Amino acid sequence: MHTLVRRTHEERILRALREFGPLSRGEISDRVGLSRTTTSEITGELIERRAIVAVAPDAADRVGRGRPADRLVLDPGAGQVVGIDFNHGRVQVAVADASQEIIAAGDARYDLDSAWRERAQIAFALLERLTVETGVHYGALQGIGIGFPGPFSPQGSRLALGRDKRDTSAVDGARELREHFAQRFDVPIMLDNNARLAGLAEAIWGGQSASSDLIYLRLSHGIGGGLVQGGVLSTGASGYAGEIGHITVIVDGAECRCGKRGCLETVASVPAVLAACARRGAPVADLAALRASVASGDPIVGAVLRDVGDAVGRVLGGLAVVLDPAEIVIGGPLVQAAPMIVDQARSAIGYELIPIPQAAPVIRAASLGDDDGARGAIAAVLRRSALLQRYPDDGVARDLPSPLQRSTT
Amino acid sequence: MHTLVRRTHEERILRALREFGPLSRGEISDRVGLSRTTTSEITGELIERRAIVAVAPDAADRVGRGRPADRLVLDPGAGQVVGIDFNHGRVQVAVADASQEIIAAGDARYDLDSAWRERAQIAFALLERLTVETGVHYGALQGIGIGFPGPFSPQGSRLALGRDKRDTSAVDGARELREHFAQRFDVPIMLDNNARLAGLAEAIWGGQSASSDLIYLRLSHGIGGGLVQGGVLSTGASGYAGEIGHITVIVDGAECRCGKRGCLETVASVPAVLAACARRGAPVADLAALRASVASGDPIVGAVLRDVGDAVGRVLGGLAVVLDPAEIVIGGPLVQAAPMIVDQARSAIGYELIPIPQAAPVIRAASLGDDDGARGAIAAVLRRSALLQRYPDDGVARDLPSPLQRSTT
């Protein structure tokens, strides 16, 4: 059977099982409108993949003549895709079942000095912990998506960040990470920039409906972003699209880890904000302390955050003038601690926009939680969203669904 | 016959006629590999449209037995699509034949105080003049594309530029212009922003090969632009993508006609540059005088233009960090008069880019001439470029070629 057709049938069967609970093969065949043969063939494959399981009939089913049929049910513990986001000092994991529902999620801290080998080990331990806590298992795993921090191209791990071209630590890190996971799991592994994946998740699941023109900004230890334009997740010509954190906002400003000066990241990242608070006489130790200062109405912290929102808004407003998005989404841990940044940015964006009332975008805080990057990684592995129709082929062999259909979730 | 298939056959026949000159139907059939029936059917339609003409056989052809066959030839004068660009005080026209070649082009000035009715009349007179000068005729016309100056959405003439929302002159102008043309020509008429159309033309014909990720900036009386991303001409969510001229470059700078302050247009448009030269003690009357001052090495004019190139480069560099284009193209009459702007912008862009060597875009001056906007309008009407695959449907009934094939020109 044609792969695409088979996948469509598979999705309809999985949806029926999710909606109606346990069904016999005959009931599935009737509900989904497939022949008994096709239904048997596809459910056979799903059972083999451990996406669904056959359960023996109840005594209650023993009515009428003959042996009652087995009933099939979604394996509630079968992780089909794992999404992982390595962010600053924390790995976040989400596990999706065959119908793309998140069936387990969690996070763990890692030391900032740790090697990628150790971070991978911490991710593995987290996945095992989820097995114990939720009963999820990985025997049916189809693929793993990994969100990698910092500028990263899905078209090949060719990054050389920093003015010194010999600094290839990020390339090496990504390669190493992929190898650790490949040794542990015999499934395809996809890597991409974690902020882009978070933006993808916001575009698919964050708003009222899937967004076809969106600018996403993630304020974290670093600043990253993602763009969706004309219904397509942007990668750019070489895979680096979305690096909103490295637009210059202060000429000859503070040195940025990218090698430039005065990037947005030197003003609106978590460490930049903490440093500004300290410099202006209101030191806060970390994001929790910042959140407390915001709650208590500390005027200095408030002034710092207004400046941050202004800088963010000026950059996003300029981009909005050129890209004409339907939605601008600002997320990440800094926004969770200080949501007022979004309000301040909204006002600054309003000033930057050309006064064309019809073109004004919706500006909102990110609505997904900390697992946004991990969820985006799952979406990127599954490729069921139309937003990924022009996404570069990463060589991962997968049963490709139609790139033209909208995400079914 | 399926429209798409028929169009493909049509294109192959037209290409054969362009390449080999007059051919009999039999010769076409052999060369193109179509049946005699199909060839007759399609050439019949092309003759009806006056795209090709049948010529009586020469005496030289009267060899062998029987009546020699008519030979078919491209009608060298049959304008199939007219592209028009209304720029500042000048209308530029290009006429394409059935094989998309430009067979006539010209321009005419109009008074800046003139109404759209008068401007349309001047365009009509120009088209008639081209008939006299080149023999082009419009009996086979399939459509007209019009490039309109200023922010404009192809998704509907809904512009209301200026802080005063009642200022709907541009909407009214576009509507009026369309009506004048519709009264004169009974063919579909498409309008879009002229800078976006010029960017489309540069993406299709301007570089070594069609560009799938390009930022185009046009420095003229105003400043406009166009974006191609992931192989698609960007329109944005409401049709206004590409307004690079209205990114703020000077906080609290000079008032811009868009209602904001300090837009790139207040620094790098033709009037802004002339004003800056005058202010700094080196008045130049117009672009011709500016060109002369550049040629003679006027140091003040040189300093003004370096500042302009810097401002342009900072804006384009910031966009390049986020969009990761393969190409950045700077065009328009100001660049033609002062090409050094591109060099200065190149150096400023280099400073803005994140140091990822693989992601550095090619930065070049526009390579098409003054008919870039008109040529882009022809491309937008024909829709033969894959760049237009997601372009909004303007309701123009046309024989759509495959959106997935690359432009064949």
Side-chain angles (χ1 to χ4, degrees), chain A residues 151 158-163 165 213 227 229-232 234-244 246-248 258 260-261 318-319 321-326 351-359 389-390, chain B residues 151 158-163 165 213 227 229-232 234-244 246-248 258 260-261 318-319 321-326 351-359 389-390:
Chain A
R158 304 169 308 169
L159 178 78
L161 191 61
R163 292 281 177 196
K165 292 181 187 172
D213 290 275
L227 307 175
Q229 287 169 95
V232 176
S234 301
T235 60
S238 25
Y240 294 100
E243 287 298 340
I244 304 172
H246 298 287
I247 286 193
T248 305
C258 80
K260 291 171 55 183
R261 285 187 167 276
L319 289 175
V321 164
V322 174
L323 300 179
D324 182 17
Y351 180 83
E352 294 295 325
L353 292 176
I354 314 180
I356 301 170
Q358 296 88 342
Q389 63 188 276
R390 298 180 76 87
Chain B
R158 303 168 306 167
L159 178 79
L161 191 61
R163 292 281 178 197
K165 292 182 188 174
D213 289 275
L227 307 176
Q229 286 166 97
V232 176
S234 301
T235 60
S238 25
Y240 294 100
E243 287 298 341
I244 303 173
H246 298 287
I247 286 194
T248 305
C258 80
K260 290 171 55 183
R261 284 186 169 276
L319 289 175
V321 164
V322 175
L323 300 179
D324 182 16
Y351 181 83
E352 294 295 326
L353 293 175
I354 314 179
I356 301 171
Q358 295 88 342
Q389 63 188 276
R390 298 180 76 88

Side-chain angles (χ1 to χ4, degrees), chain A residues 64-313:
Chain A
R65 282 167 298 178
R67 195 177 69 84
D70 277 352
R71 298 206 300 168
L72 303 180
V73 62
L74 274 186
D75 179 347
Q80 293 278 314
V81 181
V82 166
I84 305 181
D85 182 356
F86 285 95
N87 213 324
H88 187 71
R90 198 188 63 177
V91 56
Q92 178 82 39
V93 160
V95 186
D97 71 4
S99 66
Q100 301 195 59
E101 295 287 323
I102 304 296
I103 53 176
D107 68 329
R109 305 222 136 257
Y110 58 79
D111 200 90
L112 287 173
D113 298 330
S114 60
W116 283 107
R117 166 180 294 278
E118 296 168 62
R119 299 180 192 191
Q121 297 297 341
I122 286 166
F124 299 156
L126 171 57
L127 287 169
E128 277 167 28
R129 202 186 82 204
L130 290 178
T131 294
V132 175
E133 287 175 6
T134 70
V136 70
H137 66 82
Y138 310 107
L141 206 61
Q142 301 297 302
I144 298 175
I146 301 177
F148 194 82
F152 181 83
S153 167
Q155 287 157 31
S157 313
R158 304 169 308 169
L159 178 78
L161 191 61
R163 292 281 177 196
D164 181 351
K165 292 181 187 172
R166 287 166 305 174
D167 176 6
T168 56
S169 53
V171 193
D172 296 342
R175 193 177 299 130
E176 198 190 319
L177 197 55
R178 187 194 291 272
E179 272 164 27
H180 290 312
F181 275 86
Q183 277 164 21
R184 178 83 170 211
F185 296 98
D186 186 25
V187 297
I189 291 157
M190 182 241 36
L191 272 88
D192 198 355
N193 172 267
N194 60 354
R196 182 186 292 152
L197 293 175
L200 171 65
E202 278 292 338
I204 298 176
W205 296 294
Q208 301 284 12
S209 55
S211 186
S212 61
D213 290 275
L214 174 144
I215 301 176
Y216 170 78
L217 184 70
R218 194 193 222 193
L219 305 178
S220 180
H221 183 78
I223 296 184
L227 307 175
V228 171
Q229 287 169 95
V232 176
L233 181 68
S234 301
T235 60
S238 25
Y240 294 100
E243 287 298 340
I244 304 172
H246 298 287
I247 286 193
T248 305
V249 294
I250 299 177
V251 176
D252 274 329
E255 200 172 327
C256 182
R257 66 192 168 120
C258 80
K260 291 171 55 183
R261 285 187 167 276
C263 295
L264 180 61
E265 190 169 291
T266 67
V267 171
S269 63
V270 172
V273 169
L274 298 185
C277 289
R279 206 165 48 237
R280 285 160 76 164
V284 285
D286 53 21
L287 278 180
L290 183 76
R291 186 192 300 266
S293 296
V294 170
S296 70
D298 184 313
I300 297 179
V301 169
V304 167
L305 292 171
R306 277 193 297 280
D307 287 352
V308 167
D310 270 340
V312 164

Side-chain angles (χ1 to χ4, degrees), chain B residues 4-172:
Chain B
L4 171 55
V5 174
R6 194 174 61 70
R7 186 58 170 252
T8 307
H9 292 169
E10 197 177 296
E11 286 187 7
R12 284 160 66 195
I13 290 174
L14 289 168
R15 216 175 302 138
L17 290 173
R18 171 157 291 278
E19 203 171 329
F20 301 109
L23 296 173
S24 71
R25 287 176 182 80
E27 287 166 335
I28 292 174
S29 169
D30 292 343
R31 284 192 194 273
V32 179
L34 294 172
S35 73
R36 305 277 151 143
T37 315
T38 303
T39 302
S40 275
E41 192 185 319
I42 294 177
T43 54
E45 284 168 14
L46 287 169
I47 288 170
E48 210 168 285
R49 283 218 319 259
R50 293 180 62 190
I52 62 177
V53 288
V55 292
D58 294 341
D61 291 328
R62 296 188 178 278
V63 292
R65 283 166 299 181
R67 196 176 69 84
D70 277 352
R71 298 205 300 168
L72 303 179
V73 62
L74 275 186
D75 180 346
Q80 293 278 314
V81 182
V82 166
I84 305 181
D85 182 356
F86 285 97
N87 213 326
H88 186 70
R90 197 187 63 176
V91 57
Q92 178 82 38
V93 160
V95 186
D97 71 4
S99 65
Q100 299 195 62
E101 293 289 321
I102 305 297
I103 53 175
D107 67 330
R109 305 221 136 259
Y110 58 79
D111 200 271
L112 287 173
D113 298 331
S114 60
W116 283 108
R117 166 179 294 279
E118 297 167 63
R119 299 180 191 191
Q121 297 298 339
I122 286 167
F124 299 154
L126 172 57
L127 286 169
E128 278 168 28
R129 202 186 80 203
L130 290 178
T131 294
V132 175
E133 288 175 3
T134 69
V136 72
H137 67 84
Y138 310 106
L141 207 61
Q142 302 297 304
I144 297 175
I146 301 177
F148 194 84
F152 181 83
S153 168
Q155 288 156 32
S157 312
R158 303 168 306 167
L159 178 79
L161 191 61
R163 292 281 178 197
D164 180 351
K165 292 182 188 174
R166 289 166 305 175
D167 175 7
T168 57
S169 54
V171 193
D172 296 343

Side-chain angles (χ1 to χ4, degrees), chain B residues 314-378:
Chain B
R314 280 198 306 275
V315 165
L316 290 176
L319 289 175
V321 164
V322 175
L323 300 179
D324 182 16
E327 246 181 320
I328 297 177
V329 180
I330 312 172
L334 183 60
V335 170
Q336 288 167 13
M340 61 176 287
I341 288 174
V342 177
D343 299 319
Q344 191 68 31
R346 186 181 291 115
S347 123
I349 291 168
Y351 181 83
E352 294 295 326
L353 293 175
I354 314 179
I356 301 171
Q358 295 88 342
V362 170
I363 300 155
R364 64 172 175 86
S367 60
L368 301 179
D370 289 337
D371 64 350
D372 51 358
R375 292 188 66 178
I378 289 170

Side-chain angles (χ1 to χ4, degrees), chain B residues 239-282:
Chain B
Y240 294 100
E243 287 298 341
I244 303 173
H246 298 287
I247 286 194
T248 305
V249 293
I250 298 177
V251 176
D252 274 330
E255 200 173 326
C256 182
R257 64 192 170 119
C258 80
K260 290 171 55 183
R261 284 186 169 276
C263 294
L264 180 61
E265 189 168 293
T266 67
V267 171
S269 63
V270 173
V273 169
L274 298 184
C277 289
R279 205 164 50 240
R280 285 159 79 164

